[in-house]
Amino acid sequence: METIQIHDKHFVPFINRDKIERYVEFIAKQIAQDLGPNEVPIFIGILNGSFMFAADFVRKYPHECHITFVKMASYEGVNSTGKIKHLVGINEDLEGRTVVILEDIIDTGNTLAEIYEIFRDKKVKQLKIATLFFKPDVFRKELPIDYIGKSIEDKFIVGYGLDYDGLGRNLSDIYQLKV
Ligand code: IMP
Ligand code: MG
């Protein structure tokens, strides 16, 4: 692994594919252990960033499961709160289901807060959050994160689904912004 350039910035090798695989496996094992073989969860990947994580994750998940993807989108609300976030792509009826959100990375937690808000009235049996990466130093919320692959320092990363201005998602390894 060598230093790379994306747009105007330089990135150094940070987490290689073998380590990523271990973090993904670690999360899959924990969830499988907690839910057991009889629960059929629905995993929901948050696009775009989690597509690679979700694809690898379900291959490590040893029991029956459903997998779907959603995208967060904002539109102008008709009330005074202005922008309202909603999910595009949920067609399944989630009532009574065990839902596990798959996130690529949780940073400030703003996206996570929106997800909790959206799922509040969906009458799910249980809602769990799994994130491959977590930046504890910038996290500002009092919200539970059930499964964390790896906590990392507050530096921008790319690769394995994560982008810098649209590029870098296709990299198999994770790179960190060189400062
Ligand atoms: P949050 O709402 O601040 O927790 O950040 C959520 C989203 O920002 C993530 O799902 C990513 O898409 C993006 N993001 C946060 N940190 C990084 C990073 O280091 N590299 C690339 N994308 C990031
Ligand atoms: Mg994301």
Side-chain angles (χ1 to χ4, degrees):
M1 287 172 77
E2 287 172 2
T3 298
I4 56 164
Q5 181 170 355
I6 299 175
H7 296 302
D8 56 323
K9 301 225 184 314
H10 294 267
F11 293 83
V12 293
F14 184 45
I15 301 170
N16 69 35
R17 61 196 74 185
D18 295 337
K19 276 196 180 149
I20 296 170
E21 189 180 359
R22 269 181 269 148
Y23 301 145
V24 174
E25 210 163 45
F26 173 69
I27 297 172
K29 274 190 182 154
Q30 279 188 69
I31 296 178
Q33 205 165 50
D34 288 354
L35 300 183
N38 300 322
E39 185 74 54
V40 182
I42 177 161
F43 295 113
I44 303 182
I46 309 294
L47 293 172
N48 292 324
S50 76
F51 76 97
M52 221 179 258
F53 167 42
D56 285 341
F57 170 86
V58 287
R59 278 179 282 196
K60 303 277 185 201
Y61 194 74
H63 310 308
E64 279 190 346
C65 62
H66 293 214
I67 171 86
T68 190
F69 292 88
V70 296
K71 213 170 169 131
M72 303 285 295
S74 55
Y75 60 92
E76 298 298 327
V78 289
N79 59 15
S80 57
T81 57
K83 283 233 165 73
I84 295 170
K85 288 267 182 166
H86 68 141
L87 293 178
V88 184
I90 274 283
N91 304 314
E92 289 82 357
D93 183 11
L94 300 177
E95 193 170 333
R97 302 292 310 270
T98 288
V99 174
V100 183
I101 301 292
L102 301 177
E103 260 285 35
D104 49 353
I105 187 165
I106 294 175
D107 191 304
T108 62
N110 290 334
T111 309
L112 182 68
E114 281 151 8
I115 289 166
Y116 268 108
E117 187 59 32
I118 287 162
F119 279 90
R120 222 162 44 129
D121 56 356
K122 294 244 190 277
K123 297 191 180 118
V124 299
K125 181 176 164 191
Q126 54 179 336
L127 177 67
K128 301 274 186 195
I129 308 290
T131 187
L132 183 56
F133 298 110
F134 176 52
K135 292 182 180 171
D137 299 340
V138 264
F139 189 63
R140 297 266 169 271
K141 311 281 175 190
E142 305 253 328
L143 296 166
I145 304 171
D146 303 280
Y147 305 99
I148 294 170
K150 171 87 176 149
S151 289
I152 58 170
E153 60 191 315
D154 179 24
K155 283 189 182 164
F156 194 83
I157 59 171
V158 292
Y160 197 72
L162 292 150
D163 73 306
Y164 166 52
D165 200 10
L167 295 180
R169 293 194 196 276
N170 58 320
L171 298 165
S172 299
D173 307 283
I174 302 267
Y175 294 79
Q176 188 183 57
L177 182 64
K178 190 176 176 179
V179 280

